Amino acid sequence: MARKKAGKKGAGAQPDMPQEFLDDIIHNGVQAHRAGKLSEAEALYRQVLDIQPDHGEANHLLGLIAFQIGKNDQAIQLIKKAIRANPDKAAFHANLGPALQKKGRLDDAVASCVRAIELEPDYAEAHANLGSAFHARGNLDEAVASYRRAIAIDPDFAEAHNNLGNTLKDLGRFEEALVCYRH
């Protein structure tokens, strides 16, 4: 899933509800989420959605929790709702990809990651997610290219190095795979 920070701007808040209030709730939710306190984070995101049901960031983050706990249908539904609210957020599209992939919707996963890259070409996580979707689809050369692009953008992206190693191993390129694993 994408490692983007929560944005400071949600879909427009209700006129009587200051945006800063919603931003503070989201911020607290992200802090809890990062600390692994998923129940607390979920409660905070739901608090935002009680005030503003179409809040893009809250739906997206709640979708990430659903993905983390294996509720992929719910994750897809929530992240798609986030995309409807904020169609130009690359992170939303990038994070939809893995949820679609888990459901076996590989072409949709690829398309979602490609859309994220169209919106933000230097988004390493989107390239890595695209690599994973290509790998799952059996397009190993495309997976290698996507992982290499992610690593070119973020040389310290350990998961991309590992996944590149796995793909190279699957291609029988064991020496190259070992180099990736060492990174």
Side-chain angles (χ1 to χ4, degrees):
M1 301 303 281
R3 301 175 299 168
K4 286 290 218 184
K5 293 180 183 173
K8 281 296 195 184
K9 301 219 182 217
Q14 296 174 354
D16 60 341
M17 185 57 57
Q19 185 62 43
E20 296 79 28
F21 178 75
L22 297 177
D23 290 344
D24 286 344
I25 297 170
I26 290 289
H27 175 77
N28 291 336
V30 168
Q31 295 302 97
H33 200 156
R34 287 184 179 149
K37 300 174 183 175
L38 299 184
S39 295
E40 182 181 333
E42 179 178 353
L44 289 164
Y45 301 150
R46 288 193 186 283
Q47 184 180 352
V48 171
L49 294 177
D50 287 344
I51 297 166
Q52 187 179 5
D54 292 329
H55 192 280
E57 195 67 41
N59 277 297
H60 171 245
L61 293 166
L62 198 54
L64 291 182
I65 289 175
F67 179 81
Q68 285 177 276
I69 62 175
K71 295 182 177 180
N72 294 311
D73 289 328
Q74 184 180 13
I76 291 167
Q77 176 186 5
L78 287 163
I79 297 171
K80 281 185 173 184
K81 188 172 184 179
I83 289 170
R84 285 191 298 275
N86 300 100
D88 294 332
K89 286 281 266 200
F92 296 0
H93 293 277
N95 286 330
L96 180 59
L100 292 165
Q101 182 179 329
K102 287 280 187 189
K103 294 299 292 181
R105 296 173 54 188
L106 302 179
D107 291 340
D108 292 336
V110 166
S112 188
C113 294
V114 166
R115 179 65 183 136
I117 293 165
E118 289 170 354
L119 292 167
E120 194 173 327
D122 290 332
Y123 188 4
E125 187 76 23
H127 286 280
N129 289 351
L130 179 59
S132 293
F134 277 142
H135 191 161
R137 204 165 73 170
N139 304 112
L140 300 185
D141 290 330
E142 289 90 341
V144 167
S146 293
Y147 291 133
R148 287 194 192 281
R149 178 69 180 132
I151 292 165
I153 295 165
D154 181 359
D156 297 325
F157 193 171
E159 186 178 353
H161 284 285
N162 183 69
N163 291 343
L164 175 57
N166 291 339
T167 306
L168 290 168
K169 178 183 62 78
D170 290 348
L171 285 166
R173 294 161 56 182
F174 302 111
E175 292 300 319
E176 290 177 78
L178 283 173
V179 170
C180 294
Y181 293 139
R182 288 185 182 118
H183 261 4

